Amino acid sequence: MINTFNTLKLVQLGIDTQKEFVVFMRKDCHICKSEGFEAHNRVLVTVKGKSIIATLYIITDGILKKGKAGLSNSAWSQLNAIEEDEISFAHVQPVASMGCVRSKMYGKKLNKIAFQNIINDIVKGQYSNIEIASFITSCAGDNLNIQEIIGLTEAMVNSGQKLSWINKIVVDKHCVGGLPGNRTTPIVVSIIAQAGLTIPKTSSRAITSPAGTADTLETMTTVNLDLKKIKKVVEKENGCFVWGGSIKLSPADDILIRVERALDIDGEGQMIASVLSKKSAAGSTHVLIDIPIGKTAKVRTEEDAEKLKYYFTVVGKALGLEVKVLLTDGSQPIGRGIGPALEAMDVLSVLRNENEAPQDLRNKSLLIAGSIIDLANNQKNGNGFISAERILSSGKAYEKFIAICKAQGGFREPELAAFKMDIHAEKPGIITEIDNRRLAKIAKLAGAPHDPKAGVLLHTPLKTRVDKGDLLFCIYAETEGELNYAIEYLKTEQDIILIQ
């Protein structure tokens, strides 16, 4: 039985803890003393009859007066609190599903019911960030078998709302990531929507990369749409570009991604569950998965890629999805830009059929779009590529892109950051290798994706012949300090771009 007792008055502190709910109390607070509350305890807090579970932080200085308590911005918003509201406190009963997490930490296999209980409790806010992190790490690496991945995926689908569409065939695509640039989605969606297929594309923000698709698109249009707006845009234009976190499709995924970002990990089983739960919840029937393979990509060997291909196909089938997997070249960045605005400029260059547009991004987008058209028409080697190329070359894809942007709230041109540093070749030769991970790290140190105008602009893809002093890449940053961080890192690293 939960024991409720004395109340305090709320004061707004203006402390941002992202999505984690935090309550702040004085160390000498009589409630803390009587109930034995300590820092990092999970506490049930109630304001005007509405309750949440929050993590307790103890204040030892004068930021809070006696009889007062504070909430983090997210908790304040969730409870619709105002100054001087009464807030009451109670102990939280242990979360039963944490027993399943502990079992997983010791190598036990979990069934569908266990995963559903864990995911339900995470969505309800019963888990702290530490407890979510323990679940993520217990599942990371190769710790989930195929049945567990199916169970986790189904639990994530069941945790939120689901979209439904009039058309029987609804297509989608996803890249597993790990490759800088590679921003094919805006181009593919524009081609597919113009071809008359339905493609309600939801995308994620960056987890461990300098830009996610949603980050890139946000430099050009509004991506935070609710379900009603998504329906309206798709019904009008056949497609959309939406940040999945703005809607309640597989809401557990957004919570897990937030903690994964802090841990800088993207586990194999959870990645599959994340991708396919979003696709299933969005009402997709046919999904194309792009798996880049490369020495410094996320997936490094064909053996690993084939394993992922099998998992995606089997889990997709269990969810009623027709999944096609493409294994693609991940030896170097796709396009020139690495960072939200820089990648957006690549996208626009391809859509506008500019002479200087990156041809690798153009060709890969056509490959994916063509494969989706063939998948939707149940043709293994049909005319999808030809149809996609015709739509892109005619300018119709660009027109569709602008139309979707306007339907979502308007279009704007992306801009570059104010601070810039050019990096030049120290010797002549041919570019024989590019380290994707370290090049991406430079972009992140420069501020991407938090600073959307920051990143790296690559001028020399593989097999480019350079002379001493030729421009290799440019670093862009929104502050001089972040530019210096990136430059200092560069000084400690050798052969990010190998010249022989």
Side-chain angles (χ1 to χ4, degrees):
M1 180 105 179
I2 295 176
N3 178 33
T4 59
F5 52 95
N6 300 358
T7 62
L8 301 173
K9 294 285 188 179
L10 273 176
V11 59
Q12 191 164 14
L13 299 176
I15 298 176
D16 182 9
T17 58
Q18 294 292 320
K19 297 293 185 180
E20 184 171 19
F21 299 148
V22 175
V23 61
F24 302 91
M25 300 172 71
R26 289 171 60 103
K27 185 176 182 180
D28 61 357
C29 175
H30 65 284
I31 297 175
C32 281
K33 290 181 177 180
S34 64
E35 293 300 319
F37 287 157
E38 296 181 347
H40 289 289
N41 281 171
R42 298 285 281 165
V43 180
L44 181 70
V45 299
T46 302
V47 176
K48 292 178 291 193
K50 189 173 183 179
S51 301
I52 60 172
I53 296 175
T55 301
L56 175 62
Y57 281 20
I58 299 296
I59 302 297
T60 58
D61 62 13
I63 192 173
L64 282 176
K65 294 180 180 179
K66 284 192 175 182
K68 302 289 186 180
L71 292 169
S72 61
N73 290 350
S74 57
W76 190 276
S77 176
Q78 182 72 15
L79 292 170
N80 297 317
I82 59 174
E83 291 271 358
E84 296 299 311
D85 270 345
E86 287 191 345
I87 179 171
S88 61
F89 305 84
H91 287 278
V92 176
Q93 297 298 320
V95 181
S97 65
M98 269 302 297
C100 299
V101 174
R102 285 188 284 272
S103 293
K104 190 62 191 167
M105 291 169 66
Y106 284 98
K108 302 289 181 64
K109 302 302 178 185
L110 301 183
N111 58 30
K112 292 183 179 182
I113 295 174
F115 279 115
Q116 193 66 67
N117 290 336
I118 291 168
I119 293 300
N120 286 347
D121 286 340
I122 287 174
V123 172
K124 287 188 291 187
Q126 302 270 2
Y127 279 41
S128 67
N129 277 357
I130 293 173
E131 289 166 332
I132 295 171
S134 68
F135 172 62
I136 290 171
T137 53
S138 72
C139 298
D142 199 21
N143 289 338
L144 296 178
N145 63 27
I146 191 69
Q147 291 304 317
E148 288 181 301
I149 298 173
I150 292 172
L152 174 59
T153 308
E154 291 178 342
M156 290 170 68
V157 173
N158 294 334
S159 70
Q161 303 181 68
K162 299 179 185 178
L163 286 172
S164 59
W165 306 96
I166 296 174
N167 295 340
K168 291 183 179 181
I169 294 179
V170 178
V171 300
D172 210 334
K173 58 84 61 180
H174 181 82
C175 176
V176 301
L179 197 61
N182 200 30
R183 202 53 59 212
T184 60
T185 289
I187 303 167
V188 170
V189 171
S190 301
I191 293 171
I192 295 301
Q194 181 60 35
L197 292 168
T198 300
I199 180 165
K201 185 71 178 77
T202 61
S203 300
S204 62
R205 297 192 184 278
I207 301 177
T208 60
S209 68
T213 298
D215 302 311
T216 296
L217 282 159
E218 196 168 43
T219 67
M220 299 179 283
T221 192
T222 303
V223 296
N224 296 350
L225 307 184
D226 59 26
L227 290 177
K228 184 177 179 181
K229 183 68 172 179
I230 291 172
K231 282 273 194 179
K232 187 176 179 180
V233 172
V234 175
E235 286 170 1
K236 182 181 179 182
E237 301 295 345
N238 294 333
C240 64
F241 318 112
V242 178
W243 172 45
S246 65
I247 50 181
K248 295 181 179 179
L249 300 179
S250 186
D253 183 44
D254 304 308
I255 299 170
L256 295 176
I257 283 176
R258 171 172 52 84
V259 178
E260 284 176 337
R261 185 182 292 114
L263 294 171
D264 199 25
I265 62 173
D266 192 7
E268 181 182 89
Q270 286 169 322
M271 175 188 68
I272 294 166
S274 170
V275 172
L276 294 184
S277 66
K278 276 287 199 289
K279 304 310 177 190
S280 179
S284 300
T285 60
H286 294 64
V287 180
L288 185 132
I289 304 294
D290 170 27
I291 303 180
I293 308 168
K295 183 178 178 181
T296 55
K298 181 183 291 184
V299 181
R300 301 189 182 185
T301 68
E302 288 209 16
E303 181 181 0
D304 289 339
E306 288 291 346
K307 180 182 176 183
L308 274 179
K309 180 178 180 179
Y310 170 74
Y311 279 179
F312 270 116
T313 304
V314 173
V315 177
K317 186 176 181 181
L319 294 176
L321 300 174
E322 185 73 29
V323 176
K324 179 176 182 178
V325 178
L326 291 180
L327 306 184
T328 58
D329 180 14
S331 60
Q332 64 177 327
I334 300 293
R336 295 187 295 251
I338 304 171
L342 289 158
E343 293 176 23
M345 291 176 182
D346 278 350
V347 166
L348 291 173
S349 182
V350 171
L351 286 168
R352 289 166 175 166
N353 291 298
E354 295 175 356
N355 291 333
E356 299 302 315
Q359 292 304 298
D360 56 348
L361 178 61
R362 185 181 194 275
N363 292 335
K364 185 167 184 180
S365 298
L366 288 173
L367 171 65
I368 292 172
S371 297
I372 291 174
I373 293 172
D374 286 341
L375 178 63
N377 293 325
N378 197 27
Q379 295 178 343
K380 291 186 177 181
N381 295 297
N383 296 318
F385 185 93
I386 296 172
S387 298
E389 200 281 332
R390 186 184 303 118
I391 292 169
L392 180 60
S393 297
S394 69
K396 294 292 184 181
Y398 178 61
E399 292 176 8
K400 177 57 72 174
F401 176 79
I402 296 298
I404 294 174
C405 287
K406 288 182 176 179
Q408 293 189 185
F411 169 76
R412 57 187 175 272
E413 292 283 344
E415 299 177 351
L416 290 174
F419 295 91
K420 174 188 174 186
M421 172 66 75
D422 293 338
I423 307 301
H424 300 273
E426 297 181 352
K427 64 179 182 180
I430 297 175
I431 307 297
T432 59
E433 192 172 311
I434 297 175
D435 192 312
N436 290 310
R437 293 173 183 267
R438 290 192 290 170
L439 199 60
K441 186 168 184 176
I442 293 172
K444 289 194 286 185
L445 288 171
H450 181 266
D451 297 333
K453 299 176 184 178
V456 168
L457 184 63
L458 181 65
H459 287 267
T460 50
L462 290 175
K463 300 181 182 179
T464 301
R465 181 176 293 277
V466 296
D467 292 323
K468 183 178 180 180
D470 281 355
L471 182 62
L472 296 177
F473 59 91
C474 306
I475 306 173
Y476 289 88
E478 293 190 27
T479 68
E480 193 169 6
E482 285 171 316
L483 182 62
N484 289 333
Y485 282 138
I487 292 170
E488 287 302 312
Y489 171 76
L490 186 60
K491 290 178 181 178
T492 67
E493 298 294 316
Q494 299 295 321
D495 297 330
I496 292 176
I497 295 182
L498 187 61
I499 303 172
Q500 292 185 336

